[in-house]
């Protein structure tokens, strides 16, 4: 009995009863807890989830989109900066043109005052000298009158020669024309800025127009003054050489307003302008130039002859007559020349001929361009020509139809404005 009790106690020392943490009362062997069996993994039968490439493709595409957006933003920034620079240049050009307008207007008023003041002064001096010359012939002590008359005649003759050389009335007309043309250029630049998308070509064109106007109408007198008595009369030129215009691809599918009818119409207008308007104003300019030359020589000549007659008063019986009559003739010539502003008339005719010359070159530069896309729109050009000639479109077409008969064309001018 005791032996059984010992055996049971011994066995109980090696055996664990129920586990307090097990809810099912499972009895675990100590050796099983100490020796955990190894798990072998067969790589050949291991299946891993496949990694999808859609995420990678989306990331690449997203990166490309970001790069494209950055490139577009950079291009837009560069384009906007270039456009801003072009606008800034055009605004600077407008300021320069506005300054030239003011300068030409001020100088034109000054030179018009020169014409009035010099004419008044010269005639006053001449008539005073003639009066003294007449008094010297009847007053016993005539030396003071003779000397004063001679000095006044000489001073009036010198001033008359200078005045006839510079032609103040013609100078004033040049400045008026320059002011008008600079105002027209100023409005053109404003239109380009407000209605179009200006480019660097517009800047270059505006600069060329400014420089051409500066050459055509110089401000200073000495060295660069326009020749007042040219040997041959030519139309005034105040525009740069006509250049080929770059065409736009937007008009590649149409005729740009041109057809055979418009082409023939423009060619006929050019013929009428050359044969009638330009030729007629050049003829009138030559006539005005001849009259002005004669008067420019006669005025100082009569004054100096009168000075000689005044100097010999009392020595020769005809001296007083020559002095008085010479002074009177000199005053008459000066009044007709500068009071009538013959130099201004010559400049006006010359500029009118230049106006028609510009029209001819503009039309010819378009009709001689084979690519109609590079031309100015035909309908727009036709309307501009009609307005510049003071005609309606129907009136302009009637002129073209009548110009086919050369006898009828010689009876009518193209322009109704001048």
């Amino acid at each position: 009995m005791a032996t059984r009790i010992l055996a049971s106690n011994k066995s109980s020392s090696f055996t664990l009863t129920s586990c307090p943490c097990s809810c099912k009362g499972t009895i675990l062997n100590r050796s099983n807890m100490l020796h955990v069996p190894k798990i072998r993994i067969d790589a050949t039968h291991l299946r891993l989830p496949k990694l999808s490439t859609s995420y990678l493709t989306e990331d690449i595409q997203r990166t490309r989109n970001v790069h494209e957006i950055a490139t577009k933003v950079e291009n837009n920034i560069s384009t906007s900066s270039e456009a801003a620079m072009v606008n800034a240049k055009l605004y600077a050009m407008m300021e320069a043109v506005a300054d030239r307008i003011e300068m030409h207007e001020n100088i034109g008023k000054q030179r018009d005052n020169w014409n009035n003041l010099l004419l008044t002064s010269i005639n006053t001096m001449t008539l005073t000298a003639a009066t003294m010359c007449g008094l010297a012939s009847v007053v016993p002590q005539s030396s003071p009158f003779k000397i004063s008359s001679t000095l006044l005649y000489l001073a009036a003759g010198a001033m008359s020669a200078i005045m006839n050389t510079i032609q103040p009335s013609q100078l004033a007309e040049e400045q008026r024309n320059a002011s008008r043309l600079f105002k027209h250029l100023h409005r053109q630049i404003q239109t380009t800025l407000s209605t179009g998308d200006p480019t660097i070509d517009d800047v270059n064109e505006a600069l060329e127009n400014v420089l051409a106007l500066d050459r055509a109408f110089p401000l200073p007198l000495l060295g660069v003054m326009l020749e007042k008595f040219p040997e041959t009369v030519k139309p005034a030129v105040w525009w740069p050489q006509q250049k080929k215009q770059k065409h736009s691809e937007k008009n590649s599918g149409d005729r740009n307003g041109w057809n055979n009818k418009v082409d023939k119409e423009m060619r006929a207008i050019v013929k009428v302008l050359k044969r009638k308007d330009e030729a007629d104003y050049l003829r009138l300019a030559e006539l005005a130039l001849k009259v002005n030359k004669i008067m420019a020589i006669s005025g100082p000549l009569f004054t100096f002859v009168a000075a000689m007659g005044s100097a010999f008063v009392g020595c020769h019986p005809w001296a007083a007559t020559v002095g008085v009559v010479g002074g009177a003739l000199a005053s008459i010539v000066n009044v007709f020349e500068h009071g009538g502003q013959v130099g201004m008339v010559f400049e006006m005719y010359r500029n009118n001929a230049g106006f028609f010359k510009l029209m001819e070159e503009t039309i010819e530069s378009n009709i001689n361009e084979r690519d109609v896309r590079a031309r100015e729109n035909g309908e727009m050009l036709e309307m501009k020509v009609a307005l510049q000639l003071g005609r309606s479109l129907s009136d302009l077409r009637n002129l073209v139809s009548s110009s086919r008969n050369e006898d009828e064309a010689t009876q009518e001018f193209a322009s109704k404005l001048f």
Side-chain angles (χ1 to χ4, degrees), residues 58-341:
E58 291 178 0
D59 289 341
I60 295 174
Q61 186 64 31
R62 193 179 298 110
T63 304
R64 289 178 179 176
N65 292 338
V66 171
H67 179 70
E68 291 177 358
I69 293 173
T71 304
K72 290 180 180 179
V73 170
E74 184 179 357
N75 292 336
N76 290 336
I77 292 174
S78 62
T79 303
S80 62
S81 62
E82 291 177 0
M85 181 58 68
V86 169
N87 290 337
K89 290 181 179 180
L90 286 176
Y91 277 112
M93 203 83 64
M94 285 178 60
E95 293 179 1
V97 171
D99 184 60
R100 280 172 169 79
I101 291 171
E102 186 175 0
M103 286 192 296
H104 282 286
E105 286 182 347
N106 293 337
I107 294 178
K109 293 178 182 178
Q110 179 193 44
R111 291 173 177 176
D112 191 39
N113 288 334
W114 284 1
N115 186 66
N116 296 329
L117 294 174
L118 287 173
L119 176 61
T120 303
S121 300
I122 291 172
N123 279 344
T124 301
M125 294 169 64
T126 303
L127 294 176
T128 303
T131 303
M132 289 184 175
C133 181
L135 291 174
S137 63
V138 296
V139 175
Q141 295 180 353
S142 61
S143 297
F145 291 102
K146 289 171 56 178
I147 296 173
S148 299
S149 177
T150 304
L151 290 176
L152 285 173
Y153 273 137
L154 291 176
M159 292 176 62
S160 178
I162 295 173
M163 188 177 181
N164 293 343
T165 302
I166 64 175
Q167 293 290 317
S169 64
Q170 186 173 344
L171 290 174
E173 179 67 13
E174 291 174 6
Q175 307 312 313
R176 285 191 288 267
N177 288 327
S179 178
R180 177 179 60 85
L181 293 170
F182 271 116
K183 286 180 181 178
H184 179 66
L185 179 59
H186 191 272
R187 290 191 294 268
Q188 282 184 337
I189 299 175
Q190 281 183 329
T191 303
T192 302
L193 286 169
S194 60
T195 62
D197 186 12
T199 61
I200 193 63
D201 293 334
D202 297 321
V203 177
N204 295 332
E205 182 180 358
L207 180 60
E208 290 178 357
N209 287 327
V210 171
L211 297 178
L213 284 172
D214 287 338
R215 290 190 298 268
F217 304 102
L219 287 171
L221 291 178
L222 300 177
V224 295
M225 182 179 68
L226 297 179
E227 189 176 359
K228 297 300 178 285
F229 302 98
E231 295 182 0
T232 58
V233 179
K234 296 180 180 179
V237 178
W238 60 82
W239 59 90
Q241 184 179 4
Q242 297 288 335
K243 292 185 178 180
K244 180 180 178 181
Q245 300 178 353
K246 294 183 178 180
H247 68 273
S248 174
E249 295 296 336
K250 295 180 181 180
N251 298 327
S252 59
D254 56 30
R255 295 287 298 173
N256 197 19
W258 285 88
N259 51 46
N260 292 333
K261 183 179 178 181
V262 176
D263 190 272
K264 292 179 180 179
E265 180 181 334
M266 293 295 106
R267 293 180 187 275
I269 291 172
V270 170
K271 291 180 180 178
V272 175
L273 290 173
K274 288 182 177 180
R275 185 171 61 246
K276 290 296 298 178
D277 298 79
E278 182 183 350
D280 188 68
Y281 280 105
L282 287 177
R283 179 182 60 81
L284 292 174
E286 290 178 356
L287 178 61
L289 179 62
K290 290 179 181 178
V291 173
N292 199 26
K293 281 182 178 180
I294 294 172
M295 290 185 175
I297 296 172
S298 301
L301 181 62
F302 286 144
T303 306
F304 289 126
V305 170
M308 294 178 62
S310 176
F312 289 98
V313 170
C315 301
H316 195 279
W318 290 96
T321 303
V322 171
V324 174
V325 173
L329 291 175
S331 297
I332 293 172
V333 171
N334 288 332
V335 168
F336 274 104
E337 181 183 7
H338 301 291
Q341 299 187 2

